[in-house]
Amino acid sequence: MSLISIVVPCYNEEEVLPLFYEEIQKIMEQMRQEHSHLTFELLFIDDGSKDKTLSILREMALKDSRVRYISFSRNFGKEAGMFAGLENATGDYVVVMDADLQHPPAFLPKMYNYVKDGEFDCATTRRVSRKGESKIRSAFARTFYKIMNKISQTEIVDGAQDFRFMTRQMVDSILSMKEYNRFSKGIFSWVGFKTQYIEYENVERAAGTTAWSFWGLFRYSLEGIFAFSTAPLALASLLGVISCLIAFVMCIVIIIKTLAFGDPVAGFPTIMCVMFFLGGLQLFCTGILGQYLSKTYLECKHRPVYLMRENEEIYRSRQDS
Ligand code: UDP
Ligand code: MG
């Protein structure tokens, strides 16, 4: 017998959850028919949803013994949701996928075929188009992947997603990374292992709206850079060296000019410009230092990545008593 755990982070997904459940049931049935030794577990993570997500999950868990859920005490973000899912999944294989059907369940049989013989440790999808996404968003995303791959040793594949079919070994490796600032795209790649990419066209959300604003994504991309690269620190030093060199050349020019032409009244505007420029540069570099310091600060506190408020066991025992 092999158990496949399907981890699904949900934040305000009342509209798509029933659709998702219906789809995934069909696929689980299909896979069971093809491979009779497979059993399934659905582990939903309610990330502090403000709509009826939790009550839908409760109902599903009462009716279907394969359904488990963890409900957070507040919204901790998708990263925390995925971590909680991986930590609590008991399967020999673990799948992470979105609830909005943007990660089509129909891929699961194919993904299982890749990992079942041990040829690959992970199967994942890579979207080759960003159909249905705004032009600016796609342009920023592309630039982010370009910069990231230049400055970080960890390769982050453009279009790769958090839709993953992983072996227990890979999941345990991911869980061994205890960091608080979790950037999964980097973590999945950092742990290594053999990954098979399946390419597909972007699918739009089945219902509901995305929880990601443009600025949210922008901040998330900065998180990624600070978590998986120290290049900004090097950039700060480089800028320092360059401005020193410029100052040195300027000194020589001024000395020669003074010797040759005497010393006319010095230019006040020039001094102001240089002062502002250097002041700005210094603040910029201090800011970069500050970013790393703040990440280090959060890591030192050893706060839990998420806090659970309720799960299906707690709910069932409350119903019984
Ligand atoms: N999600 C979550 N916590 C959050 C935001 C999102 O668990 O704070 C979940 C959400 O329910 C969905 C998945 O993460 O299952 C992807 O979110 P979304 O579809 O909003 O992002 P997009 O597909 O636009 O990147
Ligand atoms: Mg989505």
Side-chain angles (χ1 to χ4, degrees), residues 32-71:
R32 274 188 62 91
Q33 267 162 19
E34 282 167 25
H35 314 271
S36 53
H37 65 287
L38 288 184
T39 51
F40 289 88
E41 156 186 273
L42 283 168
L43 177 54
F44 293 93
I45 314 296
D46 165 37
D47 188 7
S49 299
K50 294 182 181 66
D51 63 359
K52 295 200 198 68
T53 302
L54 179 58
S55 41
I56 295 175
L57 292 179
R58 282 174 178 157
E59 224 171 275
M60 271 163 34
L62 280 187
K63 276 195 219 134
D64 186 341
S65 62
R66 294 170 303 181
V67 174
R68 293 173 56 204
Y69 71 85
I70 294 173
S71 180

Side-chain angles (χ1 to χ4, degrees), residues 90-156:
T90 53
D92 305 299
Y93 299 97
V94 182
V95 180
V96 181
M97 65 195 298
D98 286 1
D100 57 8
L101 294 174
Q102 275 188 306
H103 295 165
F107 277 117
L108 291 179
K110 198 169 170 188
M111 291 168 118
Y112 174 66
N113 284 338
Y114 279 117
V115 294
K116 71 170 195 282
D117 305 323
E119 174 79 20
F120 290 98
D121 307 287
C122 172
T124 181
T125 54
R126 195 175 90 85
R127 28 178 202 182
V128 286
S129 78
R130 291 180 168 267
K131 199 177 64 181
E133 211 179 60
S134 84
K135 286 233 161 55
I136 311 178
R137 208 176 242 219
S138 312
F140 265 91
R142 272 202 205 98
T143 322
F144 164 72
Y145 284 110
K146 262 197 208 119
I147 298 178
M148 190 71 197
N149 284 321
K150 280 234 164 64
I151 64 177
S152 170
Q153 263 89 39
T154 311
E155 197 203 359
I156 298 189

Side-chain angles (χ1 to χ4, degrees), residues 8-13 16 45-49 72 75-82 97-103 127 133 137 161-162 202-203 205 207 209-212 217:
V8 190
C10 308
Y11 179 54
N12 296 341
E13 299 287 13
V16 284
I45 314 296
D46 165 37
D47 188 7
S49 299
F72 287 177
N75 179 251
F76 280 88
K78 187 186 173 188
E79 290 292 340
M82 289 198 288
M97 65 195 298
D98 286 1
D100 57 8
L101 294 174
Q102 275 188 306
H103 295 165
R127 28 178 202 182
E133 211 179 60
R137 208 176 242 219
Q161 294 171 309
D162 300 334
N202 190 30
V203 182
R205 232 173 196 284
T209 47
T210 172
W212 290 94
L217 276 179

Side-chain angles (χ1 to χ4, degrees), residues 6 21 24 61 83 145 177 266-267 307 316:
I6 301 177
Y21 184 55
I24 202 80
F83 179 73
Y145 284 110
M177 295 175 79
L307 289 173
R316 272 193 209 123

